[in-house]
Amino acid sequence: EAEVAQSPRYKITEKSQAVAFWCDPISGHATLYWYRQILGQGPELLVQFQDESVVDDSQLPKDRFSAERLKGVDSTLKIQPAELGDSAMYLCASSSLRDTQYFGPGTRLTVL
Amino acid sequence: DAKTTQPNSMESNEEEPVHLPCNHSTISGTDYIHWYRQLPSQGPEYVIHGLTSNVNNRMASLAIAEDRKSSTLILHRATLRDAAVYYCILNSGGSNYKLTFGKGTLLTVNP
């Protein structure tokens, strides 16, 4: 069964450093989502792509976060500089248009 | 998206049915009711969704009240692998198909 791949699974960094997360969606899925999940809460959407275009980044802290999906396939989420409050699980999901979202295993970020 | 209300936690015994409630009194006519669950240390996974009629699939059943202001996710025979956080989410199915997660219900299954 096809799955969403994410790497790394775990990342520890010091504040003010740059970090990057990678996501490879299920083949053929045009829509890709990045979520952030703080411990004890549900996932919060950061950015949504349709192919290579951003369709919703209203909750993305654009002063330090950036996301790209250059060829409309895999995607990278970057944080620069990382802050203590960025410690969370970062989840990637993909879907066909207006269909079920399939989530990857996530990247657990710890900022020291 | 309209708001949902779920109990913070529920407990069940293995091999017994589980009924997970969700209130959504401000649901609109075009809102679908979606259920996702998140097992420990994993990303969320789709469980089931419906609009007006009750729905069944291999994982669960979804019972929707006639006025659509509440719904219930039914696990017919809980197993230890069903221990997870269950999220009830409304989505109008618009072009963005955005899911807004709440805190969900933490289901504990006792052996």
Side-chain angles (χ1 to χ4, degrees), chain B residues 27-71:
Chain B
I27 191 171
S28 73
T30 58
D31 282 334
Y32 285 78
I33 302 160
H34 297 259
W35 284 83
Y36 281 72
R37 73 179 185 181
Q38 188 170 20
L39 280 64
S41 301
Q42 295 187 27
E45 65 174 344
Y46 168 81
V47 177
I48 200 167
H49 78 283
L51 183 62
T52 56
S53 303
N54 294 344
V55 184
N56 301 296
N57 66 20
R58 64 175 180 82
M59 289 181 68
S61 296
L62 176 60
I64 301 173
E66 195 169 334
D67 63 4
R68 301 211 324 127
K69 294 185 177 181
S70 66
S71 60

mmCIF file of all heavy atoms in Angstrom, chain B residues 27-71:
data_model
loop_
_atom_site.group_PDB
_atom_site.id
_atom_site.type_symbol
_atom_site.label_atom_id
_atom_site.label_comp_id
_atom_site.label_asym_id
_atom_site.label_seq_id
_atom_site.Cartn_x
_atom_site.Cartn_y
_atom_site.Cartn_z
ATOM 1 N N ILE B 27 -23.683 22.716 12.397
ATOM 2 C CA ILE B 27 -23.363 22.113 11.104
ATOM 3 C C ILE B 27 -24.218 22.737 10.000
ATOM 4 O O ILE B 27 -25.393 23.046 10.208
ATOM 5 C CB ILE B 27 -23.552 20.579 11.166
ATOM 6 C CG1 ILE B 27 -22.970 19.911 9.924
ATOM 7 C CG2 ILE B 27 -25.011 20.225 11.384
ATOM 8 C CD1 ILE B 27 -22.928 18.391 10.029
ATOM 9 N N SER B 28 -23.617 22.939 8.837
ATOM 10 C CA SER B 28 -24.376 23.470 7.709
ATOM 11 C C SER B 28 -24.793 22.324 6.784
ATOM 12 O O SER B 28 -24.302 21.203 6.900
ATOM 13 C CB SER B 28 -23.533 24.479 6.931
ATOM 14 O OG SER B 28 -22.526 23.807 6.194
ATOM 15 N N GLY B 29 -25.665 22.629 5.883
ATOM 16 C CA GLY B 29 -26.195 21.595 5.013
ATOM 17 C C GLY B 29 -25.179 20.935 4.111
ATOM 18 O O GLY B 29 -25.382 19.807 3.664
ATOM 19 N N THR B 30 -24.076 21.620 3.848
ATOM 20 C CA THR B 30 -23.062 21.061 2.946
ATOM 21 C C THR B 30 -21.880 20.435 3.689
ATOM 22 O O THR B 30 -20.952 19.948 3.051
ATOM 23 C CB THR B 30 -22.515 22.157 2.013
ATOM 24 O OG1 THR B 30 -21.973 23.204 2.823
ATOM 25 C CG2 THR B 30 -23.627 22.713 1.127
ATOM 26 N N ASP B 31 -21.911 20.455 5.009
ATOM 27 C CA ASP B 31 -20.794 19.904 5.789
ATOM 28 C C ASP B 31 -20.853 18.382 5.842
ATOM 29 O O ASP B 31 -21.861 17.810 6.261
ATOM 30 C CB ASP B 31 -20.820 20.424 7.229
ATOM 31 C CG ASP B 31 -20.284 21.830 7.364
ATOM 32 O OD1 ASP B 31 -19.460 22.232 6.517
ATOM 33 O OD2 ASP B 31 -20.680 22.516 8.323
ATOM 34 N N TYR B 32 -19.744 17.753 5.446
ATOM 35 C CA TYR B 32 -19.575 16.325 5.678
ATOM 36 C C TYR B 32 -18.999 16.119 7.079
ATOM 37 O O TYR B 32 -18.266 16.947 7.595
ATOM 38 C CB TYR B 32 -18.606 15.719 4.657
ATOM 39 C CG TYR B 32 -19.201 15.543 3.284
ATOM 40 C CD1 TYR B 32 -19.336 16.619 2.411
ATOM 41 C CD2 TYR B 32 -19.626 14.284 2.856
ATOM 42 C CE1 TYR B 32 -19.878 16.438 1.153
ATOM 43 C CE2 TYR B 32 -20.170 14.093 1.596
ATOM 44 C CZ TYR B 32 -20.300 15.188 0.755
ATOM 45 O OH TYR B 32 -20.827 15.020 -0.494
ATOM 46 N N ILE B 33 -19.323 14.991 7.677
ATOM 47 C CA ILE B 33 -18.778 14.613 8.987
ATOM 48 C C ILE B 33 -17.693 13.575 8.745
ATOM 49 O O ILE B 33 -17.937 12.513 8.186
ATOM 50 C CB ILE B 33 -19.876 14.006 9.882
ATOM 51 C CG1 ILE B 33 -21.023 14.998 10.052
ATOM 52 C CG2 ILE B 33 -19.290 13.603 11.243
ATOM 53 C CD1 ILE B 33 -22.320 14.356 10.476
ATOM 54 N N HIS B 34 -16.468 13.928 9.146
ATOM 55 C CA HIS B 34 -15.319 13.044 8.953
ATOM 56 C C HIS B 34 -14.814 12.565 10.303
ATOM 57 O O HIS B 34 -14.798 13.313 11.277
ATOM 58 C CB HIS B 34 -14.175 13.789 8.262
ATOM 59 C CG HIS B 34 -14.491 14.272 6.885
ATOM 60 N ND1 HIS B 34 -14.070 13.615 5.750
ATOM 61 C CD2 HIS B 34 -15.194 15.346 6.453
ATOM 62 C CE1 HIS B 34 -14.489 14.266 4.693
ATOM 63 N NE2 HIS B 34 -15.176 15.318 5.076
ATOM 64 N N TRP B 35 -14.325 11.356 10.339
ATOM 65 C CA TRP B 35 -13.637 10.837 11.523
ATOM 66 C C TRP B 35 -12.246 10.352 11.109
ATOM 67 O O TRP B 35 -12.100 9.590 10.146
ATOM 68 C CB TRP B 35 -14.407 9.689 12.165
ATOM 69 C CG TRP B 35 -15.601 10.127 12.951
ATOM 70 C CD1 TRP B 35 -16.843 10.409 12.457
ATOM 71 C CD2 TRP B 35 -15.687 10.324 14.360
ATOM 72 N NE1 TRP B 35 -17.697 10.773 13.471
ATOM 73 C CE2 TRP B 35 -17.015 10.727 14.656
ATOM 74 C CE3 TRP B 35 -14.778 10.198 15.418
ATOM 75 C CZ2 TRP B 35 -17.442 11.004 15.954
ATOM 76 C CZ3 TRP B 35 -15.208 10.464 16.710
ATOM 77 C CH2 TRP B 35 -16.532 10.866 16.969
ATOM 78 N N TYR B 36 -11.259 10.834 11.838
ATOM 79 C CA TYR B 36 -9.887 10.357 11.714
ATOM 80 C C TYR B 36 -9.460 9.880 13.101
ATOM 81 O O TYR B 36 -10.025 10.291 14.111
ATOM 82 C CB TYR B 36 -8.940 11.476 11.263
ATOM 83 C CG TYR B 36 -8.978 11.782 9.785
ATOM 84 C CD1 TYR B 36 -10.066 12.437 9.216
ATOM 85 C CD2 TYR B 36 -7.922 11.430 8.950
ATOM 86 C CE1 TYR B 36 -10.111 12.712 7.858
ATOM 87 C CE2 TYR B 36 -7.946 11.707 7.594
ATOM 88 C CZ TYR B 36 -9.046 12.350 7.060
ATOM 89 O OH TYR B 36 -9.078 12.625 5.714
ATOM 90 N N ARG B 37 -8.461 9.021 13.135
ATOM 91 C CA ARG B 37 -7.907 8.617 14.418
ATOM 92 C C ARG B 37 -6.389 8.661 14.351
ATOM 93 O O ARG B 37 -5.796 8.586 13.268
ATOM 94 C CB ARG B 37 -8.380 7.219 14.821
ATOM 95 C CG ARG B 37 -7.764 6.080 14.033
ATOM 96 C CD ARG B 37 -8.283 4.756 14.544
ATOM 97 N NE ARG B 37 -7.641 3.614 13.898
ATOM 98 C CZ ARG B 37 -7.928 2.348 14.154
ATOM 99 N NH1 ARG B 37 -8.879 2.048 15.054
ATOM 100 N NH2 ARG B 37 -7.297 1.387 13.530
ATOM 101 N N GLN B 38 -5.785 8.818 15.500
ATOM 102 C CA GLN B 38 -4.324 8.904 15.571
ATOM 103 C C GLN B 38 -3.829 7.947 16.640
ATOM 104 O O GLN B 38 -4.047 8.178 17.841
ATOM 105 C CB GLN B 38 -3.884 10.335 15.885
ATOM 106 C CG GLN B 38 -2.391 10.546 15.786
ATOM 107 C CD GLN B 38 -2.020 12.010 15.853
ATOM 108 O OE1 GLN B 38 -2.776 12.861 16.328
ATOM 109 N NE2 GLN B 38 -0.837 12.353 15.369
ATOM 110 N N LEU B 39 -3.170 6.890 16.188
ATOM 111 C CA LEU B 39 -2.563 5.950 17.107
ATOM 112 C C LEU B 39 -1.298 6.562 17.690
ATOM 113 O O LEU B 39 -0.722 7.487 17.103
ATOM 114 C CB LEU B 39 -2.242 4.634 16.381
ATOM 115 C CG LEU B 39 -3.407 3.658 16.182
ATOM 116 C CD1 LEU B 39 -4.498 4.227 15.293
ATOM 117 C CD2 LEU B 39 -2.911 2.329 15.629
ATOM 118 N N PRO B 40 -0.856 6.076 18.835
ATOM 119 C CA PRO B 40 0.341 6.661 19.474
ATOM 120 C C PRO B 40 1.537 6.689 18.529
ATOM 121 O O PRO B 40 1.828 5.703 17.847
ATOM 122 C CB PRO B 40 0.576 5.713 20.663
ATOM 123 C CG PRO B 40 -0.765 5.160 20.976
ATOM 124 C CD PRO B 40 -1.457 5.012 19.647
ATOM 125 N N SER B 41 2.181 7.832 18.459
ATOM 126 C CA SER B 41 3.406 8.027 17.675
ATOM 127 C C SER B 41 3.208 7.826 16.175
ATOM 128 O O SER B 41 4.163 7.498 15.457
ATOM 129 C CB SER B 41 4.517 7.078 18.163
ATOM 130 O OG SER B 41 4.785 7.312 19.520
ATOM 131 N N GLN B 42 1.992 8.019 15.690
ATOM 132 C CA GLN B 42 1.725 7.912 14.264
ATOM 133 C C GLN B 42 0.962 9.133 13.781
ATOM 134 O O GLN B 42 0.421 9.900 14.586
ATOM 135 C CB GLN B 42 0.914 6.658 13.946
ATOM 136 C CG GLN B 42 1.648 5.359 14.242
ATOM 137 C CD GLN B 42 0.874 4.150 13.746
ATOM 138 O OE1 GLN B 42 0.089 4.232 12.807
ATOM 139 N NE2 GLN B 42 1.097 3.012 14.373
ATOM 140 N N GLY B 43 0.913 9.321 12.471
ATOM 141 C CA GLY B 43 0.074 10.360 11.908
ATOM 142 C C GLY B 43 -1.381 9.930 11.920
ATOM 143 O O GLY B 43 -1.692 8.748 12.018
ATOM 144 N N PRO B 44 -2.307 10.877 11.810
ATOM 145 C CA PRO B 44 -3.731 10.522 11.768
ATOM 146 C C PRO B 44 -4.046 9.622 10.579
ATOM 147 O O PRO B 44 -3.351 9.662 9.562
ATOM 148 C CB PRO B 44 -4.430 11.876 11.626
ATOM 149 C CG PRO B 44 -3.467 12.876 12.175
ATOM 150 C CD PRO B 44 -2.113 12.344 11.804
ATOM 151 N N GLU B 45 -5.102 8.822 10.725
ATOM 152 C CA GLU B 45 -5.567 8.005 9.611
ATOM 153 C C GLU B 45 -7.071 8.148 9.479
ATOM 154 O O GLU B 45 -7.801 8.301 10.466
ATOM 155 C CB GLU B 45 -5.179 6.533 9.770
ATOM 156 C CG GLU B 45 -5.814 5.827 10.934
ATOM 157 C CD GLU B 45 -5.524 4.333 10.963
ATOM 158 O OE1 GLU B 45 -5.088 3.772 9.942
ATOM 159 O OE2 GLU B 45 -5.746 3.728 12.028
ATOM 160 N N TYR B 46 -7.535 8.102 8.245
ATOM 161 C CA TYR B 46 -8.958 8.215 7.947
ATOM 162 C C TYR B 46 -9.712 7.018 8.490
ATOM 163 O O TYR B 46 -9.236 5.883 8.410
ATOM 164 C CB TYR B 46 -9.132 8.305 6.427
ATOM 165 C CG TYR B 46 -10.551 8.142 5.939
ATOM 166 C CD1 TYR B 46 -11.442 9.209 5.980
ATOM 167 C CD2 TYR B 46 -10.996 6.935 5.433
ATOM 168 C CE1 TYR B 46 -12.743 9.062 5.519
ATOM 169 C CE2 TYR B 46 -12.290 6.774 4.977
ATOM 170 C CZ TYR B 46 -13.160 7.843 5.023
ATOM 171 O OH TYR B 46 -14.446 7.693 4.570
ATOM 172 N N VAL B 47 -10.888 7.284 9.064
ATOM 173 C CA VAL B 47 -11.730 6.186 9.539
ATOM 174 C C VAL B 47 -12.986 6.071 8.682
ATOM 175 O O VAL B 47 -13.258 5.028 8.091
ATOM 176 C CB VAL B 47 -12.127 6.387 11.026
ATOM 177 C CG1 VAL B 47 -13.054 5.263 11.481
ATOM 178 C CG2 VAL B 47 -10.882 6.448 11.906
ATOM 179 N N ILE B 48 -13.755 7.156 8.583
ATOM 180 C CA ILE B 48 -15.036 7.087 7.894
ATOM 181 C C ILE B 48 -15.553 8.504 7.704
ATOM 182 O O ILE B 48 -15.095 9.437 8.381
ATOM 183 C CB ILE B 48 -16.030 6.235 8.724
ATOM 184 C CG1 ILE B 48 -17.187 5.712 7.884
ATOM 185 C CG2 ILE B 48 -16.523 7.002 9.948
ATOM 186 C CD1 ILE B 48 -17.994 4.612 8.589
ATOM 187 N N HIS B 49 -16.488 8.696 6.774
ATOM 188 C CA HIS B 49 -17.164 9.979 6.663
ATOM 189 C C HIS B 49 -18.566 9.787 6.107
ATOM 190 O O HIS B 49 -18.864 8.755 5.483
ATOM 191 C CB HIS B 49 -16.358 10.977 5.824
ATOM 192 C CG HIS B 49 -16.456 10.764 4.341
ATOM 193 N ND1 HIS B 49 -15.765 9.774 3.682
ATOM 194 C CD2 HIS B 49 -17.175 11.427 3.392
ATOM 195 C CE1 HIS B 49 -16.021 9.841 2.394
ATOM 196 N NE2 HIS B 49 -16.884 10.816 2.184
ATOM 197 N N GLY B 50 -19.428 10.784 6.353
ATOM 198 C CA GLY B 50 -20.794 10.715 5.854
ATOM 199 C C GLY B 50 -21.416 12.102 5.797
ATOM 200 O O GLY B 50 -20.884 13.067 6.354
ATOM 201 N N LEU B 51 -22.566 12.170 5.133
ATOM 202 C CA LEU B 51 -23.274 13.438 4.992
ATOM 203 C C LEU B 51 -24.598 13.404 5.750
ATOM 204 O O LEU B 51 -24.818 14.194 6.654
ATOM 205 C CB LEU B 51 -23.523 13.756 3.518
ATOM 206 C CG LEU B 51 -24.195 15.084 3.205
ATOM 207 C CD1 LEU B 51 -23.327 16.242 3.685
ATOM 208 C CD2 LEU B 51 -24.492 15.203 1.721
ATOM 209 N N THR B 52 -25.476 12.464 5.372
ATOM 210 C CA THR B 52 -26.775 12.389 6.037
ATOM 211 C C THR B 52 -27.111 10.972 6.485
ATOM 212 O O THR B 52 -27.637 10.771 7.570
ATOM 213 C CB THR B 52 -27.899 12.877 5.098
ATOM 214 O OG1 THR B 52 -27.845 12.100 3.889
ATOM 215 C CG2 THR B 52 -27.730 14.349 4.764
ATOM 216 N N SER B 53 -26.796 10.008 5.650
ATOM 217 C CA SER B 53 -27.157 8.623 5.961
ATOM 218 C C SER B 53 -26.073 7.946 6.781
ATOM 219 O O SER B 53 -24.905 8.325 6.722
ATOM 220 C CB SER B 53 -27.353 7.837 4.664
ATOM 221 O OG SER B 53 -28.316 8.442 3.854
ATOM 222 N N ASN B 54 -26.468 6.951 7.527
ATOM 223 C CA ASN B 54 -25.488 6.147 8.266
ATOM 224 C C ASN B 54 -24.569 5.435 7.284
ATOM 225 O O ASN B 54 -24.964 5.090 6.160
ATOM 226 C CB ASN B 54 -26.200 5.133 9.151
ATOM 227 C CG ASN B 54 -26.999 5.802 10.255
ATOM 228 O OD1 ASN B 54 -26.802 6.985 10.553
ATOM 229 N ND2 ASN B 54 -27.910 5.056 10.855
ATOM 230 N N VAL B 55 -23.324 5.236 7.697
ATOM 231 C CA VAL B 55 -22.305 4.670 6.818
ATOM 232 C C VAL B 55 -21.593 3.534 7.540
ATOM 233 O O VAL B 55 -21.385 3.596 8.757
ATOM 234 C CB VAL B 55 -21.267 5.753 6.419
ATOM 235 C CG1 VAL B 55 -20.260 5.182 5.432
ATOM 236 C CG2 VAL B 55 -21.949 6.978 5.845
ATOM 237 N N ASN B 56 -21.223 2.524 6.793
ATOM 238 C CA ASN B 56 -20.452 1.411 7.343
ATOM 239 C C ASN B 56 -19.242 1.156 6.465
ATOM 240 O O ASN B 56 -19.317 1.267 5.238
ATOM 241 C CB ASN B 56 -21.294 0.128 7.383
ATOM 242 C CG ASN B 56 -22.536 0.278 8.216
ATOM 243 O OD1 ASN B 56 -22.477 0.485 9.419
ATOM 244 N ND2 ASN B 56 -23.692 0.183 7.573
ATOM 245 N N ASN B 57 -18.121 0.833 7.085
ATOM 246 C CA ASN B 57 -16.976 0.316 6.336
ATOM 247 C C ASN B 57 -16.287 -0.738 7.199
ATOM 248 O O ASN B 57 -16.799 -1.098 8.275
ATOM 249 C CB ASN B 57 -16.030 1.435 5.874
ATOM 250 C CG ASN B 57 -15.328 2.151 7.007
ATOM 251 O OD1 ASN B 57 -15.223 1.646 8.118
ATOM 252 N ND2 ASN B 57 -14.849 3.344 6.718
ATOM 253 N N ARG B 58 -15.146 -1.207 6.736
ATOM 254 C CA ARG B 58 -14.513 -2.325 7.440
ATOM 255 C C ARG B 58 -13.986 -1.928 8.810
ATOM 256 O O ARG B 58 -13.747 -2.765 9.670
ATOM 257 C CB ARG B 58 -13.374 -2.895 6.602
ATOM 258 C CG ARG B 58 -12.231 -1.929 6.363
ATOM 259 C CD ARG B 58 -11.071 -2.587 5.622
ATOM 260 N NE ARG B 58 -9.988 -1.632 5.415
ATOM 261 C CZ ARG B 58 -9.084 -1.334 6.339
ATOM 262 N NH1 ARG B 58 -9.116 -1.908 7.518
ATOM 263 N NH2 ARG B 58 -8.133 -0.458 6.079
ATOM 264 N N MET B 59 -13.783 -0.635 9.021
ATOM 265 C CA MET B 59 -13.221 -0.182 10.291
ATOM 266 C C MET B 59 -14.293 0.154 11.322
ATOM 267 O O MET B 59 -14.111 -0.077 12.521
ATOM 268 C CB MET B 59 -12.359 1.063 10.089
ATOM 269 C CG MET B 59 -11.050 0.816 9.382
ATOM 270 S SD MET B 59 -10.086 2.330 9.200
ATOM 271 C CE MET B 59 -9.640 2.676 10.893
ATOM 272 N N ALA B 60 -15.391 0.778 10.866
ATOM 273 C CA ALA B 60 -16.350 1.327 11.823
ATOM 274 C C ALA B 60 -17.685 1.615 11.141
ATOM 275 O O ALA B 60 -17.832 1.440 9.932
ATOM 276 C CB ALA B 60 -15.803 2.624 12.410
ATOM 277 N N SER B 61 -18.638 2.092 11.951
ATOM 278 C CA SER B 61 -19.908 2.599 11.453
ATOM 279 C C SER B 61 -20.081 4.023 11.938
ATOM 280 O O SER B 61 -19.581 4.392 13.010
ATOM 281 C CB SER B 61 -21.073 1.746 11.952
ATOM 282 O OG SER B 61 -20.996 0.435 11.438
ATOM 283 N N LEU B 62 -20.772 4.812 11.146
ATOM 284 C CA LEU B 62 -21.064 6.193 11.505
ATOM 285 C C LEU B 62 -22.575 6.357 11.518
ATOM 286 O O LEU B 62 -23.229 6.149 10.499
ATOM 287 C CB LEU B 62 -20.434 7.154 10.499
ATOM 288 C CG LEU B 62 -20.734 8.645 10.694
ATOM 289 C CD1 LEU B 62 -20.252 9.114 12.058
ATOM 290 C CD2 LEU B 62 -20.091 9.464 9.580
ATOM 291 N N ALA B 63 -23.099 6.718 12.709
ATOM 292 C CA ALA B 63 -24.526 6.969 12.851
ATOM 293 C C ALA B 63 -24.730 8.473 12.960
ATOM 294 O O ALA B 63 -24.133 9.130 13.823
ATOM 295 C CB ALA B 63 -25.056 6.264 14.102
ATOM 296 N N ILE B 64 -25.549 9.018 12.079
ATOM 297 C CA ILE B 64 -25.785 10.465 12.018
ATOM 298 C C ILE B 64 -27.215 10.745 12.446
ATOM 299 O O ILE B 64 -28.159 10.153 11.912
ATOM 300 C CB ILE B 64 -25.536 10.993 10.595
ATOM 301 C CG1 ILE B 64 -24.088 10.680 10.179
ATOM 302 C CG2 ILE B 64 -25.803 12.493 10.526
ATOM 303 C CD1 ILE B 64 -23.792 11.000 8.725
ATOM 304 N N ALA B 65 -27.385 11.655 13.405
ATOM 305 C CA ALA B 65 -28.720 12.009 13.870
ATOM 306 C C ALA B 65 -29.541 12.609 12.740
ATOM 307 O O ALA B 65 -28.991 13.199 11.799
ATOM 308 C CB ALA B 65 -28.620 12.999 15.028
ATOM 309 N N GLU B 66 -30.844 12.478 12.868
ATOM 310 C CA GLU B 66 -31.719 12.950 11.792
ATOM 311 C C GLU B 66 -31.564 14.453 11.544
ATOM 312 O O GLU B 66 -31.615 14.906 10.404
ATOM 313 C CB GLU B 66 -33.174 12.628 12.146
ATOM 314 C CG GLU B 66 -34.129 12.728 10.984
ATOM 315 C CD GLU B 66 -35.490 12.148 11.297
ATOM 316 O OE1 GLU B 66 -35.575 11.256 12.170
ATOM 317 O OE2 GLU B 66 -36.470 12.598 10.674
ATOM 318 N N ASP B 67 -31.362 15.227 12.621
ATOM 319 C CA ASP B 67 -31.168 16.677 12.453
ATOM 320 C C ASP B 67 -29.712 17.038 12.163
ATOM 321 O O ASP B 67 -29.380 18.214 12.009
ATOM 322 C CB ASP B 67 -31.662 17.440 13.685
ATOM 323 C CG ASP B 67 -30.887 17.105 14.945
ATOM 324 O OD1 ASP B 67 -29.913 16.331 14.858
ATOM 325 O OD2 ASP B 67 -31.249 17.593 16.022
ATOM 326 N N ARG B 68 -28.852 16.036 12.110
ATOM 327 C CA ARG B 68 -27.417 16.173 11.793
ATOM 328 C C ARG B 68 -26.644 16.989 12.820
ATOM 329 O O ARG B 68 -25.504 17.344 12.580
ATOM 330 C CB ARG B 68 -27.215 16.764 10.402
ATOM 331 C CG ARG B 68 -27.821 15.977 9.303
ATOM 332 C CD ARG B 68 -27.115 16.037 7.973
ATOM 333 N NE ARG B 68 -26.542 17.339 7.662
ATOM 334 C CZ ARG B 68 -25.270 17.504 7.308
ATOM 335 N NH1 ARG B 68 -24.455 16.475 7.240
ATOM 336 N NH2 ARG B 68 -24.821 18.712 7.018
ATOM 337 N N LYS B 69 -27.216 17.241 13.977
ATOM 338 C CA LYS B 69 -26.507 18.034 14.975
ATOM 339 C C LYS B 69 -25.610 17.175 15.854
ATOM 340 O O LYS B 69 -24.893 17.699 16.723
ATOM 341 C CB LYS B 69 -27.500 18.833 15.821
ATOM 342 C CG LYS B 69 -28.223 19.898 15.013
ATOM 343 C CD LYS B 69 -29.110 20.775 15.875
ATOM 344 C CE LYS B 69 -29.748 21.882 15.025
ATOM 345 N NZ LYS B 69 -30.606 22.782 15.827
ATOM 346 N N SER B 70 -25.628 15.905 15.660
ATOM 347 C CA SER B 70 -24.721 15.014 16.383
ATOM 348 C C SER B 70 -24.491 13.756 15.558
ATOM 349 O O SER B 70 -25.269 13.441 14.654
ATOM 350 C CB SER B 70 -25.284 14.635 17.756
ATOM 351 O OG SER B 70 -26.452 13.861 17.602
ATOM 352 N N SER B 71 -23.403 13.080 15.890
ATOM 353 C CA SER B 71 -23.102 11.816 15.230
ATOM 354 C C SER B 71 -22.347 10.923 16.213
ATOM 355 O O SER B 71 -21.850 11.398 17.245
ATOM 356 C CB SER B 71 -22.280 12.023 13.956
ATOM 357 O OG SER B 71 -21.044 12.660 14.247
#
